[in-house]
Each structure stands twice: as C-alpha cells, then as structure tokens.
mmCIF file of all heavy atoms in Angstrom:
data_model
loop_
_atom_site.group_PDB
_atom_site.id
_atom_site.type_symbol
_atom_site.label_atom_id
_atom_site.label_comp_id
_atom_site.label_asym_id
_atom_site.label_seq_id
_atom_site.Cartn_x
_atom_site.Cartn_y
_atom_site.Cartn_z
ATOM 1 N N LEU A 27 4.184 22.925 -0.190
ATOM 2 C CA LEU A 27 3.800 24.188 -0.787
ATOM 3 C C LEU A 27 2.572 24.082 -1.694
ATOM 4 O O LEU A 27 2.603 24.482 -2.842
ATOM 5 C CB LEU A 27 4.983 24.721 -1.613
ATOM 6 C CG LEU A 27 6.355 24.595 -0.962
ATOM 7 C CD1 LEU A 27 7.443 24.993 -1.920
ATOM 8 C CD2 LEU A 27 6.461 25.417 0.281
ATOM 9 N N ALA A 28 1.506 23.511 -1.153
ATOM 10 C CA ALA A 28 0.324 23.286 -1.975
ATOM 11 C C ALA A 28 -0.192 24.588 -2.591
ATOM 12 O O ALA A 28 -0.600 24.613 -3.750
ATOM 13 C CB ALA A 28 -0.772 22.635 -1.154
ATOM 14 N N LEU A 29 -0.187 25.666 -1.822
ATOM 15 C CA LEU A 29 -0.651 26.939 -2.355
ATOM 16 C C LEU A 29 0.224 27.387 -3.520
ATOM 17 O O LEU A 29 -0.277 27.824 -4.562
ATOM 18 C CB LEU A 29 -0.636 28.009 -1.269
ATOM 19 C CG LEU A 29 -1.050 29.416 -1.718
ATOM 20 C CD1 LEU A 29 -2.471 29.382 -2.275
ATOM 21 C CD2 LEU A 29 -0.954 30.405 -0.571
ATOM 22 N N SER A 30 1.531 27.227 -3.346
ATOM 23 C CA SER A 30 2.438 27.591 -4.433
ATOM 24 C C SER A 30 2.198 26.735 -5.660
ATOM 25 O O SER A 30 2.264 27.209 -6.792
ATOM 26 C CB SER A 30 3.883 27.443 -3.983
ATOM 27 O OG SER A 30 4.763 27.655 -5.055
ATOM 28 N N ALA A 31 1.899 25.474 -5.427
ATOM 29 C CA ALA A 31 1.627 24.581 -6.553
ATOM 30 C C ALA A 31 0.463 25.080 -7.381
ATOM 31 O O ALA A 31 0.511 25.107 -8.611
ATOM 32 C CB ALA A 31 1.343 23.173 -6.053
ATOM 33 N N LEU A 32 -0.584 25.514 -6.700
ATOM 34 C CA LEU A 32 -1.743 26.025 -7.408
ATOM 35 C C LEU A 32 -1.393 27.304 -8.165
ATOM 36 O O LEU A 32 -1.819 27.506 -9.300
ATOM 37 C CB LEU A 32 -2.892 26.287 -6.436
ATOM 38 C CG LEU A 32 -3.500 25.043 -5.785
ATOM 39 C CD1 LEU A 32 -4.492 25.426 -4.701
ATOM 40 C CD2 LEU A 32 -4.178 24.165 -6.824
ATOM 41 N N MET A 33 -0.604 28.144 -7.513
ATOM 42 C CA MET A 33 -0.203 29.404 -8.151
ATOM 43 C C MET A 33 0.629 29.118 -9.388
ATOM 44 O O MET A 33 0.465 29.732 -10.435
ATOM 45 C CB MET A 33 0.582 30.262 -7.180
ATOM 46 C CG MET A 33 -0.240 30.828 -6.040
ATOM 47 S SD MET A 33 0.795 31.623 -4.789
ATOM 48 C CE MET A 33 1.578 32.887 -5.766
ATOM 49 N N CYS A 34 1.547 28.177 -9.267
ATOM 50 C CA CYS A 34 2.475 27.930 -10.355
ATOM 51 C C CYS A 34 1.844 27.160 -11.492
ATOM 52 O O CYS A 34 2.223 27.343 -12.645
ATOM 53 C CB CYS A 34 3.682 27.154 -9.844
ATOM 54 S SG CYS A 34 4.788 28.102 -8.779
ATOM 55 N N LEU A 35 0.906 26.268 -11.161
ATOM 56 C CA LEU A 35 0.423 25.347 -12.181
ATOM 57 C C LEU A 35 -1.006 25.621 -12.636
ATOM 58 O O LEU A 35 -1.469 24.991 -13.568
ATOM 59 C CB LEU A 35 0.526 23.901 -11.675
ATOM 60 C CG LEU A 35 1.952 23.414 -11.481
ATOM 61 C CD1 LEU A 35 1.956 22.017 -10.884
ATOM 62 C CD2 LEU A 35 2.715 23.421 -12.784
ATOM 63 N N GLY A 36 -1.676 26.529 -11.985
ATOM 64 C CA GLY A 36 -3.066 26.729 -12.295
ATOM 65 C C GLY A 36 -3.326 27.123 -13.732
ATOM 66 O O GLY A 36 -4.386 26.820 -14.274
ATOM 67 N N ILE A 37 -2.368 27.780 -14.357
ATOM 68 C CA ILE A 37 -2.591 28.191 -15.747
ATOM 69 C C ILE A 37 -1.756 27.391 -16.727
ATOM 70 O O ILE A 37 -1.829 27.620 -17.925
ATOM 71 C CB ILE A 37 -2.278 29.694 -15.931
ATOM 72 C CG1 ILE A 37 -0.823 29.995 -15.621
ATOM 73 C CG2 ILE A 37 -3.178 30.547 -15.099
ATOM 74 C CD1 ILE A 37 -0.426 31.424 -15.953
ATOM 75 N N LEU A 38 -0.973 26.448 -16.243
ATOM 76 C CA LEU A 38 -0.140 25.660 -17.147
ATOM 77 C C LEU A 38 -0.935 24.470 -17.648
ATOM 78 O O LEU A 38 -0.752 23.334 -17.230
ATOM 79 C CB LEU A 38 1.131 25.204 -16.444
ATOM 80 C CG LEU A 38 2.036 26.331 -15.955
ATOM 81 C CD1 LEU A 38 3.342 25.771 -15.460
ATOM 82 C CD2 LEU A 38 2.297 27.346 -17.056
ATOM 83 N N THR A 39 -1.862 24.728 -18.550
ATOM 84 C CA THR A 39 -2.744 23.680 -19.049
ATOM 85 C C THR A 39 -2.517 23.484 -20.535
ATOM 86 O O THR A 39 -1.923 24.306 -21.220
ATOM 87 C CB THR A 39 -4.215 24.057 -18.812
ATOM 88 O OG1 THR A 39 -4.501 25.263 -19.546
ATOM 89 C CG2 THR A 39 -4.497 24.291 -17.346
ATOM 90 N N SER A 40 -3.012 22.368 -21.019
ATOM 91 C CA SER A 40 -2.896 22.092 -22.435
ATOM 92 C C SER A 40 -3.988 21.119 -22.839
ATOM 93 O O SER A 40 -4.362 20.226 -22.082
ATOM 94 C CB SER A 40 -1.516 21.482 -22.751
ATOM 95 O OG SER A 40 -1.371 21.252 -24.134
ATOM 96 N N CYS A 41 -4.502 21.292 -24.012
ATOM 97 C CA CYS A 41 -5.550 20.384 -24.481
ATOM 98 C C CYS A 41 -5.493 20.324 -26.003
ATOM 99 O O CYS A 41 -4.655 20.957 -26.632
ATOM 100 C CB CYS A 41 -6.921 20.843 -24.005
ATOM 101 S SG CYS A 41 -7.322 22.539 -24.481
ATOM 102 N N GLY A 42 -6.383 19.526 -26.581
ATOM 103 C CA GLY A 42 -6.408 19.425 -28.025
ATOM 104 C C GLY A 42 -5.737 18.158 -28.512
ATOM 105 O O GLY A 42 -5.260 17.326 -27.737
ATOM 106 N N ASN A 43 -5.664 17.971 -29.809
ATOM 107 C CA ASN A 43 -5.137 16.744 -30.394
ATOM 108 C C ASN A 43 -3.668 16.529 -30.110
ATOM 109 O O ASN A 43 -3.176 15.402 -30.129
ATOM 110 C CB ASN A 43 -5.361 16.757 -31.928
ATOM 111 C CG ASN A 43 -6.834 16.731 -32.285
ATOM 112 O OD1 ASN A 43 -7.652 16.207 -31.539
ATOM 113 N ND2 ASN A 43 -7.169 17.294 -33.431
ATOM 114 N N SER A 44 -2.939 17.610 -29.864
ATOM 115 C CA SER A 44 -1.501 17.487 -29.656
ATOM 116 C C SER A 44 -1.144 17.263 -28.186
ATOM 117 O O SER A 44 0.019 17.231 -27.829
ATOM 118 C CB SER A 44 -0.782 18.756 -30.154
ATOM 119 O OG SER A 44 -1.215 19.881 -29.424
ATOM 120 N N PHE A 45 -2.156 17.090 -27.326
ATOM 121 C CA PHE A 45 -1.888 16.971 -25.895
ATOM 122 C C PHE A 45 -1.103 15.714 -25.560
ATOM 123 O O PHE A 45 -1.387 14.631 -26.056
ATOM 124 C CB PHE A 45 -3.199 16.981 -25.107
ATOM 125 C CG PHE A 45 -2.998 16.695 -23.650
ATOM 126 C CD1 PHE A 45 -2.436 17.650 -22.835
ATOM 127 C CD2 PHE A 45 -3.331 15.461 -23.105
ATOM 128 C CE1 PHE A 45 -2.217 17.401 -21.485
ATOM 129 C CE2 PHE A 45 -3.126 15.203 -21.768
ATOM 130 C CZ PHE A 45 -2.565 16.171 -20.961
ATOM 131 N N SER A 46 -0.096 15.892 -24.708
ATOM 132 C CA SER A 46 0.682 14.774 -24.175
ATOM 133 C C SER A 46 0.870 14.982 -22.689
ATOM 134 O O SER A 46 1.494 15.977 -22.270
ATOM 135 C CB SER A 46 2.055 14.692 -24.867
ATOM 136 O OG SER A 46 2.940 13.864 -24.132
ATOM 137 N N ALA A 47 0.330 14.084 -21.861
ATOM 138 C CA ALA A 47 0.443 14.223 -20.425
ATOM 139 C C ALA A 47 1.904 14.179 -19.979
ATOM 140 O O ALA A 47 2.327 14.942 -19.110
ATOM 141 C CB ALA A 47 -0.346 13.120 -19.724
ATOM 142 N N GLY A 48 2.698 13.303 -20.591
ATOM 143 C CA GLY A 48 4.114 13.230 -20.243
ATOM 144 C C GLY A 48 4.842 14.516 -20.561
ATOM 145 O O GLY A 48 5.657 15.002 -19.763
ATOM 146 N N ASP A 49 4.535 15.085 -21.733
ATOM 147 C CA ASP A 49 5.181 16.353 -22.125
ATOM 148 C C ASP A 49 4.762 17.478 -21.195
ATOM 149 O O ASP A 49 5.556 18.369 -20.886
ATOM 150 C CB ASP A 49 4.825 16.710 -23.566
ATOM 151 C CG ASP A 49 5.529 15.818 -24.591
ATOM 152 O OD1 ASP A 49 6.436 15.063 -24.188
ATOM 153 O OD2 ASP A 49 5.146 15.878 -25.770
ATOM 154 N N LEU A 50 3.493 17.455 -20.750
ATOM 155 C CA LEU A 50 3.021 18.516 -19.853
ATOM 156 C C LEU A 50 3.746 18.454 -18.518
ATOM 157 O O LEU A 50 4.193 19.482 -18.001
ATOM 158 C CB LEU A 50 1.515 18.399 -19.647
ATOM 159 C CG LEU A 50 0.882 19.476 -18.764
ATOM 160 C CD1 LEU A 50 1.045 20.856 -19.378
ATOM 161 C CD2 LEU A 50 -0.588 19.187 -18.492
ATOM 162 N N VAL A 51 3.883 17.257 -17.949
ATOM 163 C CA VAL A 51 4.617 17.101 -16.682
ATOM 164 C C VAL A 51 6.069 17.534 -16.858
ATOM 165 O O VAL A 51 6.615 18.288 -16.046
ATOM 166 C CB VAL A 51 4.512 15.665 -16.160
ATOM 167 C CG1 VAL A 51 5.405 15.487 -14.931
ATOM 168 C CG2 VAL A 51 3.067 15.326 -15.801
#
C-alpha cells in the first residue's frame, strides 16, 4: 500500500530539538 503510506504519513513529521526518530516511528 505505498500510496496509502504516503497518504497516511506525508504530514506526520516532526523536527526541532525535541525530535526523536524512535518516538516518531
């Protein structure tokens, strides 16, 4: 479901000093 993945995750971003890749996943 690659298209769905883009739809679902395209706006689920995070940045800044508090960013955690593990927490984002």
Side-chain angles (χ1 to χ4, degrees):
L27 317 173
L29 178 59
S30 174
L32 292 172
M33 290 171 60
C34 289
L35 293 176
I37 61 173
L38 299 188
T39 62
S40 182
C41 56
N43 295 332
S44 63
F45 173 73
S46 164
D49 288 349
L50 182 62
V51 173

